[in-house]
Amino acid sequence: MSLNWKEIDLALSELDLEGAFIQQIVQPGYDSLALHVYKQGTAKTVLICLAAGACRIHETHLAIPKNDKPLRFMEFMRSRIKGSRIVSARQLGQERVIQCSLLHGDEAFYMYIRLWSGAANIIITNTDNSILDTFYRRPSRGEITGKIFIPPQWHEVPDEKAASRQIRSFDFEDAQSASFNENIDRWYSEHAQSLSRESLLEQAERFYTASRTRLETALDRLRKKQLSFQNADQFKHFGDLILANGHLIDGSSDLLACEDYETGQPISIRIDRHKSAAENAADYYESYKKAQSGAAALEDEIAQTMQSLRELDSAYEAFQNESNPFIIQQMLRKQTKPEQQLEKKYPGLAYNIQGWIILVGRNAGENDALLRRHIKGQDMWLHTRDWAGGYVFIKHRPNKSIPLEILIAAGNLAVYHSKGRRAGTADLYYTQAKNLKRVKNGPKGLVIPANEKNLCIKCDQTLLREIEKHLIV
């Protein structure tokens, strides 16, 4: 419930803003603004909230946190309005529109605060009512820079209607001894739908429950997959048995029946009857190698998922322990940002495949940013030889050699993000980043490689779709 005109008059009378100086301006979110004012040795924080159903102005004793990034209107207010003296602050009749006359040096301004649910706004004009800027830019209403703001023509409300507009009462224990501003500040922090601790914690709980369910499902899937790799040693043992009993393969059966020299028991091993003993053994050794590599990568993924669960639990605990709804709102906004608004760890694209980080620069700017701030000497660099395109890097892992499948995945990304994409096949060269030399006075990101090796890649669309599943947001 927004303030009615009687409550606005009462709040303004208690605030006593005439003659106060605006010392600081903070915009904690996308529907509120806080003015830190000072008058005759007394400092106050005046909150202006434009949220639908909770439009209001009052003094608040809550700490007002800064937004995580500078917001447009706040930056304008700080550049033009900060330091102003409030000459007058009055409601225009009974229209729930407050006009503040401001003086900043020789410049005079009007600040109109319209507390209408669904159409609330803060509009800064010069003395001719030419709009300098607005909290919400609404071209359809003419509320944009350069337009003329026409204040509402007020009129007295008939006595019977005026009587229906009452100043609300409060059931707090100490409500009688508190000012209207104190009571309204407390009431909205507990009851306002858009900015109450209770409603914000409900949002936090919904987000926490959905996120935890998603992470627990992913962890369960990874652990089940980990079980499938527990037989890695068996693949190697089968390979050894095939080599030891290769003379029994006669090309007539897909099973090799022999004695397991470890247990002394008979055993049947599936083979390809068209292959030799060495080739069948090599297939099992390759399965053993992949299983070992996959198990190591799964351990990394499981550890990362468990860490994400711990961080989520910690964040939710912080929500529950915080009493200030403004801080809860800010915390919630950070946690629930759309993916496209999340701050990226790397420029360009980043993938995590089996614990290997692959970075892709899609243009000269991203290539240069990766080289300058994210790449070290032992990281591997890939680039198409005869086509212009982005740089691809494989981050070095201590005591690990880059597996062939990771190199091929990176090569596919290099071809896909080059002019050779339509050709489908391209020659690449690759080398460690320490072998790259920048071209003096050359274009941004241009390098000359040394000690490079060659690789021919034919784009595999199935592989590229699989790689896309490993994109780091």
Side-chain angles (χ1 to χ4, degrees), residues 12 15-25 35-39 44 46 48 57 77 81-90 98-105 107 109-111 113:
L12 286 175
L15 284 171
D16 188 24
L17 295 175
E18 289 81 357
F21 286 87
I22 300 175
Q23 290 190 316
Q24 188 55 277
I25 300 164
L35 306 178
H36 297 291
V37 302
Y38 183 83
K39 178 181 178 181
K44 295 179 181 178
V46 179
I48 304 167
I57 180 171
M77 292 284 284
I81 304 302
K82 181 181 174 182
S84 295
R85 181 167 65 88
I86 302 175
V87 179
S88 65
R90 64 191 181 100
I98 300 166
Q99 182 194 59
C100 297
S101 298
L102 309 176
L103 192 62
H104 190 279
E107 281 192 287
F109 306 96
Y110 286 137
M111 176 169 63
I113 305 168

Side-chain angles (χ1 to χ4, degrees), residues 171-450:
D171 56 3
F172 308 134
E173 265 187 41
D174 54 350
Q176 296 298 322
S177 59
S179 68
F180 178 72
N181 275 267
E182 290 171 333
N183 283 326
I184 210 73
D185 185 36
R186 182 175 174 183
W187 190 89
Y188 276 104
S189 69
E190 295 179 6
H191 298 91
Q193 288 301 309
S194 62
L195 191 60
S196 71
R197 184 174 184 274
E198 183 180 354
S199 63
L200 289 169
L201 286 179
E202 287 177 2
Q203 293 179 51
E205 184 178 9
R206 287 196 296 271
F207 169 75
Y208 169 77
T209 302
S211 299
R212 204 173 207 291
T213 300
R214 176 177 53 81
L215 287 171
E216 286 176 340
T217 301
L219 186 62
D220 184 56
R221 175 179 55 80
L222 290 170
R223 282 175 171 161
K224 286 180 179 178
K225 192 173 181 181
Q226 191 180 40
L227 289 174
S228 68
F229 288 133
Q230 289 185 345
N231 294 325
D233 289 340
Q234 190 177 47
F235 293 137
K236 183 176 181 298
H237 184 53
F238 284 170
D240 293 341
L241 285 173
I242 290 171
L243 289 178
N245 298 277
H247 61 283
L248 299 177
I249 298 176
D250 57 8
S252 62
S253 174
D254 289 328
L255 292 174
L256 170 63
C258 61
E259 181 180 308
D260 187 338
Y261 54 76
E262 286 188 350
T263 64
Q265 299 295 318
I267 189 173
S268 295
I269 304 171
R270 185 165 295 281
I271 60 171
D272 185 339
R273 60 183 172 183
H274 301 296
K275 293 183 178 180
S276 65
E279 289 171 331
N280 276 292
D283 289 344
Y284 275 105
Y285 290 145
E286 182 63 24
S287 297
Y288 166 72
K289 184 179 177 182
K290 286 183 177 180
Q292 275 199 320
S293 175
L298 276 174
E299 286 181 7
D300 289 342
E301 286 192 62
I302 288 171
Q304 290 173 11
T305 305
M306 292 182 69
Q307 177 62 24
S308 296
L309 277 168
R310 287 191 291 270
E311 290 173 356
L312 183 66
D313 290 340
S314 177
Y316 184 60
E317 185 178 357
F319 276 119
Q320 294 178 310
N321 293 334
E322 181 55 59
S323 60
N324 188 334
F326 288 101
I327 296 177
I328 297 174
Q329 185 188 48
Q330 191 176 78
M331 292 164 61
L332 189 62
R333 192 163 58 242
K334 289 179 180 179
Q335 290 285 335
T336 58
K337 274 185 177 180
E339 290 185 358
Q340 62 269 28
Q341 293 182 15
L342 293 174
E343 184 177 347
K344 296 175 68 173
K345 185 176 181 180
Y346 303 106
L349 302 175
Y351 301 86
N352 186 337
I353 304 174
Q354 297 180 14
W356 292 90
I357 302 298
I358 301 176
L359 306 178
V360 181
R362 295 165 294 182
N363 53 51
E366 291 178 353
N367 291 340
D368 187 65
L370 285 169
L371 282 167
R372 288 182 182 277
R373 292 183 288 275
H374 300 280
I375 299 303
K376 296 184 178 179
Q378 290 183 293
D379 297 338
M380 191 65 70
W381 170 85
L382 297 91
H383 189 257
T384 48
R385 179 177 289 278
D386 300 316
W387 302 93
Y391 294 167
V392 176
F393 298 93
I394 305 173
K395 294 293 290 178
H396 172 71
R397 295 175 67 185
N399 304 316
K400 298 279 187 180
S401 297
I402 299 175
L404 180 60
E405 57 265 34
I406 298 300
L407 189 64
I408 291 173
N412 270 265
L413 288 169
V415 176
Y416 183 79
H417 291 284
S418 75
K419 299 291 186 181
R421 181 193 302 185
R422 289 187 178 180
T425 301
D427 290 327
L428 309 177
Y429 36 29
Y430 65 99
T431 187
Q432 288 185 313
K434 64 184 179 183
N435 297 321
L436 301 176
K437 182 179 180 181
R438 288 185 178 275
V439 178
K440 188 175 182 180
N441 299 322
K444 181 185 287 189
L446 183 62
V447 294
I448 297 175

Side-chain angles (χ1 to χ4, degrees), residues 22-136:
I22 300 175
Q23 290 190 316
Q24 188 55 277
I25 300 164
V26 178
Q27 186 178 345
Y30 300 102
D31 58 8
S32 54
L33 188 75
L35 306 178
H36 297 291
V37 302
Y38 183 83
K39 178 181 178 181
Q40 297 176 350
T42 302
K44 295 179 181 178
T45 300
V46 179
L47 176 69
I48 304 167
C49 182
L50 307 178
C55 296
R56 62 194 189 273
I57 180 171
H58 59 83
E59 181 182 1
T60 183
H61 295 283
L62 296 171
I64 304 297
K66 294 181 180 179
N67 197 58
D68 52 353
K69 65 177 181 179
L71 297 175
R72 172 192 57 79
F73 188 70
M74 182 188 73
E75 292 299 289
F76 164 79
M77 292 284 284
R78 286 183 172 181
S79 66
R80 300 294 298 274
I81 304 302
K82 181 181 174 182
S84 295
R85 181 167 65 88
I86 302 175
V87 179
S88 65
R90 64 191 181 100
Q91 183 177 189
L92 300 180
Q94 299 162 358
E95 299 300 321
R96 291 173 293 148
V97 177
I98 300 166
Q99 182 194 59
C100 297
S101 298
L102 309 176
L103 192 62
H104 190 279
D106 295 331
E107 281 192 287
F109 306 96
Y110 286 137
M111 176 169 63
Y112 292 97
I113 305 168
R114 188 172 62 213
L115 301 177
W116 298 353
S117 281
N121 211 349
I122 301 173
I123 300 166
I124 308 297
T125 75
N126 58 22
T127 52
D128 296 327
N129 279 336
S130 177
I131 297 175
L132 302 176
D133 206 349
T134 62
F135 191 98
Y136 296 125

Side-chain angles (χ1 to χ4, degrees), residues 447-463:
V447 294
I448 297 175
N451 299 326
E452 69 271 23
K453 296 180 181 179
N454 297 317
L455 184 67
C456 182
I457 290 289
K458 182 176 181 180
C459 256
D460 184 338
Q461 295 301 321
T462 302
L463 177 59

